[in-house]
Amino acid sequence: MRVLVTGGSGQLARAIQTAWTGHELVLAGKSRLDLEDPEAIRAVVAELRPQAVLNLGACTQVDLCESEPELAMRVNGTAVGWLAEACRRQGALLVQISTDYVFDGLGSRPYREEDPTGPRSVYGRTKLAGEEQARLAPEHLIVRTAWLYDAQGRNFYRTMVDAAAQGRALRVVDDQRGTPTSCRALARQLHLALAEGWRGLVHVTCGGETTWHGFAAEIFRQRGIRASLSPCGTADYPRPAPRPAYSVLSGQRRALLGTDLMPSWEAALAEVVAADPDNL
Ligand SMILES: NC(=O)c1ccc[n+]([C@@H]2O[C@H](COP(=O)([O-])OP(=O)(O)OC[C@H]3O[C@@H](n4cnc5c(N)ncnc54)[C@H](OP(=O)(O)O)[C@@H]3O)[C@@H](O)[C@H]2O)c1
């Protein structure tokens, strides 16, 4: 299958490139395919004639989205409608990656796909708009995931390991719960989802749950790093965008749709740690 991947230089795109064998992948970074440019979207899809478009391009810096809401809406919301229209014309499947930020984060049991949304940040609102736009493609799969990281890229794992290497004392929030999800585990599940023909809306994260502090502690334990790490509360660390206090996503529908490959978050972390060139 020929698959056009937008946001081709991001961390999930890199993991897709490694994990997806047997497909002809065309990774298009912002310089080749700027999601703010509807004409470019139309032209690239018409030229490449992909069977699927995997939309990984997004404004992912949640604090920046608060100060640039129009930009965030164009990239995370409006552009998905342009992609959906291009996919409709081409008869292609649109795979849209969405986020736990579409929920209000006030829950206390894992969010199911049918639970009401209620985003509290610009990022969450614009990604929810992206979900609505993706539904305009006759063939679509919307995958909500959370807390993505890999050995490389702009993510929490990298931030913790690099900060510890600099000998910095770390205070990390211990009152936000979610599920760290490695890009490589998600990439493998997406590959299988395509093969098994998943459609509609599905939650895909690793198994289990923790806090950011719990995640940091496990990173340091698995890496054998003696870091100065202490817990703090969200209120101690004010940020422009509100973070969901609870954003664990239920995996029940995934298990109904097909084969559930997602490991526990601790096992997925062990795989990333083993593959991190820093750790060899
Ligand atoms: N990271 C997470 O924790 C997380 C959690 C849930 C869902 N997601 C979703 O998962 C997907 C992949 O995220 P990721 O973690 O791989 O993020 P990432 O590493 O930040 O990659 C996003 C990519 O989108 C590109 N991009 C930004 N504006 C663009 C535009 N106008 N046109 C084309 N490309 C543009 C970025 O390029 P520049 O860097 O050059 O701007 C970047 O390469 C996104 O849809 C994100 O919303 C992420």
Side-chain angles (χ1 to χ4, degrees), residues 10-12 30 33-35 58 60 97-98 123 127 148 154:
Q11 59 173 352
L12 182 54
K30 195 159 52 177
L33 181 54
D34 184 349
L35 290 170
T60 55
I97 307 298
S98 193
Y123 176 69
K127 290 293 290 185
L148 287 184
R154 197 169 42 206

Side-chain angles (χ1 to χ4, degrees), residues 7 18 44 63 85 92 94 100 114-115 136 153-155 157 172 209 216 235 249 258 273 276 280:
T18 308
V44 169
D63 290 327
E85 170 58 18
L94 176 60
D100 55 321
E114 64 274 20
D115 282 335
L136 301 175
R154 197 169 42 206
N155 61 63
Y157 169 87
V172 177
E209 60 178 88
L249 301 181
V273 165
D276 187 344
L280 299 177

Side-chain angles (χ1 to χ4, degrees), residues 47-222:
E47 179 203 334
L48 286 172
R49 303 167 64 83
Q51 279 92 44
V53 175
L54 177 54
N55 183 30
L56 306 184
C59 278
T60 55
Q61 296 180 60
V62 296
D63 290 327
L64 182 72
C65 290
E66 294 295 313
S67 55
E68 299 274 0
E70 287 167 7
L71 170 72
M73 187 54 92
R74 275 199 305 279
V75 177
N76 295 346
T78 313
V80 186
W82 294 329
L83 283 170
E85 170 58 18
C87 285
R88 188 192 62 73
R89 275 203 214 130
Q90 180 58 37
L93 166 70
L94 176 60
V95 182
Q96 170 69 11
I97 307 298
S98 193
T99 170
D100 55 321
Y101 274 69
V102 298
F103 293 113
D104 63 13
L106 303 175
S108 54
R109 54 122 180 103
Y111 284 103
R112 302 186 192 111
E113 286 80 355
E114 64 274 20
D115 282 335
T117 52
R120 296 177 59 228
S121 62
V122 170
Y123 176 69
R125 282 196 290 280
T126 59
K127 290 293 290 185
L128 184 59
E131 291 187 5
E132 284 153 14
Q133 294 296 313
R135 290 193 180 92
L136 301 175
E139 293 284 319
H140 62 263
L141 174 65
I142 301 166
V143 175
R144 290 189 188 132
T145 189
W147 293 30
L148 287 184
Y149 70 97
D150 212 330
Q152 305 298 330
R154 197 169 42 206
N155 61 63
F156 183 83
Y157 169 87
R158 202 63 259 158
T159 304
M160 288 298 107
V161 170
D162 292 347
Q166 292 160 13
R168 284 174 34 205
L170 295 162
R171 295 181 72 220
V172 177
V173 290
D174 202 24
D175 57 0
Q176 292 169 24
R177 296 194 75 75
T179 308
T181 298
S182 75
C183 287
R184 58 193 69 204
L186 176 58
R188 284 192 298 263
Q189 183 70 77
L190 290 173
H191 186 259
L192 190 65
L194 234 66
E196 292 186 338
W198 297 14
R199 295 292 185 273
L201 170 65
V202 64
H203 291 172
V204 181
T205 63
C206 285
E209 60 178 88
T210 186
T211 65
W212 289 110
H213 177 270
F215 185 25
E218 184 65 10
I219 291 169
F220 295 138
R221 191 189 70 74
Q222 291 199 15

